Amino acid sequence: MDRISLIVPCFNEEANIEPFYNAVLDVFKNTSNETDFELMFVNDGSKDNTLQKIKALHEKDNRVKCVSFSRNFGKEAALFAGIRNVTGNCAVLLDADLQHPPATIIEMYKKWKEGFEVVEGIKTERGKESLFHKAFTKIFYNLISRSVGLDMRNSSDYKLLDKKVITELANLKERNTFFRALSFWCGFKKTTVYYEVAERVNGTSKWSTKALIKYAVKNVICFSYAPLHIVTVIGCIFVFIGFIVAVDAIISFFTGKAADGFPTLLGIILLGFGGIMVSLGIIGVYIAQIYDEVKGRPQYIIGEKIE
Ligand code: UDP
Ligand code: MG
């Protein structure tokens, strides 16, 4: 019998735990003799009764398990904690708010049975998102897609991964992870299934615009050296402009016209300083990331395990 592990990050999802569990039961109701499941909730430092709700479910159904963080470490950390603690032949990662319809698990499972090792959930339609959000995610995914070399538009964290992939991801040493791109990066035999993003059942999204921008910047840095190359290109452009200005000044000097000194100087200084500061800023962000990795702090701290 196949065992499917479900990895579910939860942050203040008390109202969704039970509906989610019931939806999962519904999905596995008809498959009970060929598949079994393990429901691994990762409590990401919830401040509400999420953990108590999970414990109550565990009391009546020991397939419900939980890794509970000592504080909020973010969804990425929660996904990876799940990946490192499941035992199934394959694992499906999905949100607790039922925006990733659990019914799609069966479709993913069938693909896995056909021999695919990464089954990716693709959103057919993004849920209700603001225009800004849409434009922003478009630019972001174009950048990432290019650096990973794969089309990542409309990709999501809703995925099924074979045990082999889970093992590879579990062994990664980096802390600033970007799950969506890393599961691509691993390779293996891939396919996709489509699903429609549902409305969030209970509660509100945990992503503020600020958090989203931070997430995007972090992940671009994680997966792309483009910003560093941009620095080089900007530097080259400045050198080129400086060269033209210098030649112009020399020609002016020898043809007897007085070079227009002060504005030229000011222009050069401003351009130069601007360029240097932008460059340092970008390099600084990379150094911060390196510092983060070198410190070697864990990505998360587990306060309690329920299994
Ligand atoms: N989540 C988490 N830690 C966080 C923020 C979110 O584990 O710091 C979980 C959340 O409980 C949900 C999933 O990640 O199961 C997706 O979060 P949310 O619905 O807020 O994001 P959205 O669907 O708006 O992208
Ligand atoms: Mg959601």
Side-chain angles (χ1 to χ4, degrees), residues 6-302:
L6 304 179
I7 298 172
V8 190
C10 306
F11 176 52
N12 296 344
E13 300 281 8
E14 60 176 2
N16 289 324
I17 299 295
E18 214 152 311
F20 181 86
Y21 171 72
N22 291 331
V24 168
L25 284 190
D26 232 34
V27 167
F28 285 93
K29 183 172 65 191
N30 303 319
T31 60
S32 50
N33 36 22
E34 45 171 320
T35 57
D36 187 17
F37 71 88
E38 162 189 62
L39 182 47
M40 178 62 77
F41 286 111
V42 183
N43 175 34
D44 186 12
S46 298
K47 298 224 160 41
D48 62 1
N49 287 321
T50 302
L51 188 59
Q52 284 80 338
K53 295 267 180 194
I54 296 169
K55 279 181 178 167
L57 284 182
H58 174 76
E59 291 300 313
K60 55 176 194 177
D61 186 345
N62 62 11
R63 291 174 298 181
V64 176
K65 296 169 186 178
C66 178
V67 171
S68 185
F69 287 173
S70 58
R71 64 167 169 86
N72 181 260
F73 280 93
K75 186 181 174 186
E76 276 293 314
L79 291 176
F80 275 84
I83 283 170
R84 295 197 176 99
N85 284 283
V86 287
T87 57
N89 310 86
C90 65
V92 177
L93 300 99
L94 72 174
D95 288 357
D97 56 11
L98 292 169
Q99 283 196 285
H100 295 159
T104 312
I105 295 172
I106 295 301
E107 217 179 310
M108 291 178 159
Y109 172 71
K110 281 184 188 145
K111 295 279 185 190
W112 178 69
K113 275 298 211 190
E114 287 170 24
F116 291 101
E117 288 147 327
V118 176
V119 185
E120 208 194 343
I122 304 275
K123 300 174 235 188
T124 49
E125 186 196 350
R126 293 193 71 94
K128 287 204 174 65
E129 281 161 354
S130 70
L131 218 64
F132 170 75
H133 191 121
K134 273 191 190 142
F136 185 75
T137 42
K138 196 172 164 203
I139 296 169
F140 170 59
Y141 281 114
N142 278 341
L143 239 173
I144 295 284
S145 297
R146 224 166 290 157
S147 50
V148 184
L150 284 154
D151 188 2
M152 282 191 50
R153 274 165 303 155
N154 289 335
S155 93
S156 68
D157 289 337
Y158 193 8
K159 288 185 207 304
L160 179 146
L161 305 175
D162 184 79
K163 192 171 175 56
K164 275 190 260 176
V165 187
I166 290 286
T167 309
E168 290 305 326
L169 288 174
N171 287 334
L172 288 180
K173 299 275 183 299
E174 63 194 278
R175 283 143 204 101
N176 290 297
T177 54
F178 180 30
F179 170 72
R180 226 170 275 188
L182 282 170
S183 52
F184 263 116
W185 174 88
C186 272
F188 293 104
K189 219 173 147 203
K190 289 186 197 71
T191 188
T192 49
V193 297
Y194 291 88
Y195 73 93
E196 210 166 297
V197 183
E199 292 273 332
R200 193 176 229 286
V201 192
N202 287 301
T204 52
S205 172
K206 272 84 195 172
W207 292 97
S208 61
T209 305
K210 192 177 148 209
L212 206 70
I213 292 173
K214 227 170 115 185
Y215 177 74
V217 169
K218 205 182 108 182
N219 292 331
V220 166
I221 284 163
C222 231
F223 257 90
S224 158
Y225 299 112
L228 283 177
H229 295 320
I230 291 168
V231 168
T232 319
V233 173
I234 293 174
C236 289
I237 293 170
F238 282 162
V239 169
F240 183 68
I241 293 172
F243 181 72
I244 290 172
V245 172
V247 168
D248 179 59
I250 291 167
I251 292 171
S252 299
F253 179 76
F254 282 111
T255 52
K257 277 185 274 167
D260 204 0
F262 186 65
T264 316
L265 198 66
L266 194 68
I268 292 171
I269 287 174
L270 282 179
L271 269 176
F273 269 107
I276 289 168
M277 278 160 97
V278 170
S279 310
L280 282 179
I282 295 173
I283 292 165
V285 181
Y286 276 90
I287 290 177
Q289 188 106 318
I290 294 168
Y291 181 50
D292 225 34
E293 295 288 345
V294 167
K295 274 186 292 189
R297 277 190 203 148
Q299 192 180 15
Y300 52 81
I301 294 169
I302 295 174

